[in-house]
Amino acid sequence: MYKSFLIKYGEIAIKGKNRYLFEEALVRQIRYALHPVEGEFEVRRLQGRIYVDALSDYSYDEVMEALSRVFGIVGICPVVLVEDEGFARLSEDVIAYLDQAYPDKNVTFKVNARRARKNYPMDSMELNAALGEKILDAFPQMRVDVHNPDIRLCVEIRESINIYSKEIKGPGGMPVGTGGKAMLLLSGGIDSPVAGYMVAKRGVAVDAVYFHAPPYTSERAKRKVVELAEILSRYAGPVRLHIVNFTDIQLSIYEKCPHGELTIIMRRYMMRIAEKFARQDQCLGLVTGESIGQVASQTMQSLAATNAVCSMPVYRPLIGFDKQEIIAISERIKAYETSILPYEDCCTIFVAKHPVTKPNLSVIERSEEKLRDTMDEMVATAIATAETIYVTADGTTE
Ligand code: ATP
Ligand code: MG
């Protein structure tokens, strides 16, 4: 029954020039989210509002699904738009709307008329009263309740008249792209896709880097990460994913450094390389899925040791989350099923039986000295030979 949707967004902090950028980004992200949905849609800005118009048949549920992934949307109102052809016609349209939208007439309502265009002959109070009366005439079972109505019927007199009464909650947050870009360290686990989702929710676009260690890690493990990037890109927009061959670096750490320190040193090299890609891609920070105390490499001491190699800010949006809380988000964003596929990741192969949990930075730095002669070149090779793919909600291109 609906051909249009009125998109509501939070208007705090979007004054002046910011408002324009916010709306532009929101329109772009709505188009992106609707692209895989069957049907033809137009997204337009009109007088400080955003509308989605369906130009063909479509599935209501699919559109809602798609819009529920667009950060910045606070509410989605299925709306009936009618031309101004006088009050008699308007009251007919309103009655037809209610009749269709509410098969059960045993409900209370309140009319919330608003005159955004002052040349309309009736003011809001008059409209409320006159429409209320017409509705009661048409549906005697309905009753008015001005304090706590079942139906809050909005009738807004604009260029065309907007009739709506339902608002489906949007995801909130900020439109992706309004907050710059970050480089996510994306592994095949549960945490890092959720971390990417969290920064995207605050308007940050995401590129990603994945370290694999063929032949110790399989092609399937890599495909799983690509799939996770695809899932992330439904929310975060296109993701440029760099796939780095980490085998030589890892073997050399394994060979030359104390095994208890393997994970920390490996993580430090991941951060160094991720930061190089971050600068290349104009990112303003790194993002990881770390959470305090989750594993040995995520104690405060370990995080300090990992952090010490970065000059960019490192964002850890899951820092205070328990695993169960992270899993709940992972399930909600539909990443969980993919994340728990049992393929090995590159860290699990080279893990020590007794990793240090309180690494001392100078001890770690001394261990890394042993890598000094060969590592610069290995890092340069890893970066030069990385495979970069462009991942979108529609699929992947090289
Ligand atoms: P996740 O569930 O995200 O894999 P985890 O609990 O397995 O996290 P770690 O293996 O200690 O934790 O990794 C911590 C963080 O380091 C990850 O959240 C991710 O951001 C990054 N990371 C770990 N392994 C890789 C990898 N192979 N490629 C890219 N990033 C990685
Ligand atoms: Mg992991």
Side-chain angles (χ1 to χ4, degrees):
M1 93 176 250
Y2 300 104
K3 289 202 177 64
S4 297
F5 298 89
L6 171 61
I7 305 299
K8 298 215 160 164
Y9 46 91
E11 297 188 38
I12 311 152
I14 53 166
K15 300 261 146 53
K17 184 167 158 259
N18 283 343
R19 181 188 181 106
Y20 180 80
L21 295 174
F22 185 100
E23 289 176 347
E24 285 255 289
L26 189 52
V27 166
R28 187 177 59 237
Q29 292 306 114
I30 292 172
R31 288 192 181 129
Y32 174 84
L34 287 172
H35 193 253
V37 177
E38 200 166 325
E40 202 185 327
F41 303 94
E42 186 178 60
V43 186
R44 60 191 168 100
R45 287 164 53 193
L46 185 72
Q47 301 172 315
R49 307 208 112 177
I50 292 174
Y51 293 93
V52 173
D53 301 312
L55 308 179
S56 66
D57 284 347
Y58 67 94
S59 145
Y60 179 87
D61 291 344
E62 274 179 38
V63 167
M64 283 302 158
E65 240 273 304
L67 294 178
S68 74
R69 293 193 302 261
V70 180
F71 296 126
I73 296 182
V74 168
I76 305 151
C77 304
V79 63
V80 170
L81 301 176
V82 297
E83 293 315 309
D84 175 14
E85 288 164 12
F87 178 77
R89 182 60 198 269
L90 174 61
S91 59
E92 280 168 29
D93 289 331
V94 164
I95 286 163
Y97 167 83
L98 285 175
D99 199 19
Q100 274 206 52
Y102 301 94
D104 178 5
K105 302 295 183 293
N106 196 9
V107 286
T108 60
F109 74 95
K110 173 191 181 178
V111 183
N112 230 336
R114 217 173 109 203
R115 193 172 57 153
R117 161 160 78 72
K118 297 299 171 202
N119 62 359
Y120 196 78
M122 297 165 84
D123 71 19
S124 327
M125 297 297 273
E126 289 168 330
L127 271 168
N128 285 342
L131 284 172
E133 212 168 293
K134 291 282 185 195
I135 294 166
L136 289 171
D137 284 347
F139 308 118
Q141 315 91 298
M142 284 195 183
R143 280 156 298 124
V144 174
D145 180 346
V146 290
H147 298 298
N148 196 15
D150 300 323
I151 303 171
R152 215 173 276 274
L153 177 72
C154 298
V155 178
E156 294 179 1
I157 313 292
R158 299 175 168 270
E159 204 165 308
S160 44
I161 300 176
N162 293 214
I163 303 169
Y164 62 95
S165 59
K166 298 183 179 180
E167 181 167 333
I168 294 94
K169 208 167 173 293
M174 304 282 282
V176 169
T178 55
K181 188 159 64 173
M183 181 60 70
L184 170 68
L185 283 88
L186 180 64
S187 69
I190 295 166
D191 305 328
S192 43
V194 174
Y197 168 88
M198 299 290 283
V199 294
K201 180 165 189 215
R202 297 308 303 160
V204 176
V206 176
D207 280 349
V209 54
Y210 165 59
F211 298 91
H212 69 156
Y216 302 97
T217 64
S218 64
E219 191 62 25
R220 285 192 313 180
K222 170 177 147 184
R223 272 207 305 276
K224 170 182 167 180
V225 173
V226 174
E227 201 176 301
L228 287 171
E230 261 166 33
I231 293 166
L232 179 62
S233 77
R234 292 183 200 151
Y235 305 88
V239 173
R240 199 179 291 125
L241 171 65
H242 305 285
I243 300 169
V244 178
N245 186 326
F246 206 53
T247 313
D248 289 346
I249 294 174
Q250 222 162 2
L251 286 172
S252 137
I253 299 171
Y254 194 73
E255 197 180 301
K256 295 183 180 152
C257 301
H259 284 189
E261 297 168 10
L262 286 181
T263 310
I264 296 294
I265 294 175
M266 194 181 73
R267 305 267 309 111
R268 282 161 59 92
Y269 276 100
M270 284 186 184
M271 298 303 260
R272 289 179 174 109
I273 293 173
E275 193 170 274
K276 294 236 160 69
F277 282 108
R279 294 202 188 286
Q280 243 178 52
D281 288 3
Q282 273 97 42
C283 294
L284 300 171
L286 303 176
V287 178
T288 75
E290 291 159 316
S291 146
I292 293 176
Q294 201 188 73
V295 287
S297 58
Q298 295 177 31
T299 62
M300 291 278 274
Q301 293 85 346
S302 297
L303 292 171
T306 309
N307 212 64
V309 298
C310 302
S311 59
M312 263 189 192
V314 181
Y315 297 100
R316 300 177 173 91
L318 308 184
I319 201 71
F321 282 22
D322 293 343
K323 196 73 185 189
Q324 279 311 318
E325 295 171 300
I326 300 170
I327 288 175
I329 302 174
S330 172
E331 285 177 331
R332 188 154 52 75
I333 67 174
K334 302 200 164 63
Y336 188 68
E337 293 300 317
T338 304
S339 283
I340 59 171
L341 292 172
Y343 314 138
E344 69 294 333
D345 89 45
C346 74
C347 317
T348 52
I349 285 159
F350 295 94
V351 284
K353 283 201 186 64
H354 303 289
V356 291
T357 54
K358 294 185 177 134
N360 175 304
L361 186 55
S362 47
V363 173
I364 297 287
E365 283 170 346
R366 219 170 310 130
S367 301
E368 282 182 4
E369 281 290 303
K370 300 180 188 119
L371 304 166
R372 204 180 37 192
D373 297 341
T374 49
M375 209 43 130
D376 285 354
E377 204 184 318
M378 281 190 196
V379 166
T381 305
I383 292 171
T385 58
E387 175 192 359
T388 298
I389 61 180
Y390 189 71
V391 181
T392 73
D394 284 332
T396 291
T397 50
E398 298 294 311

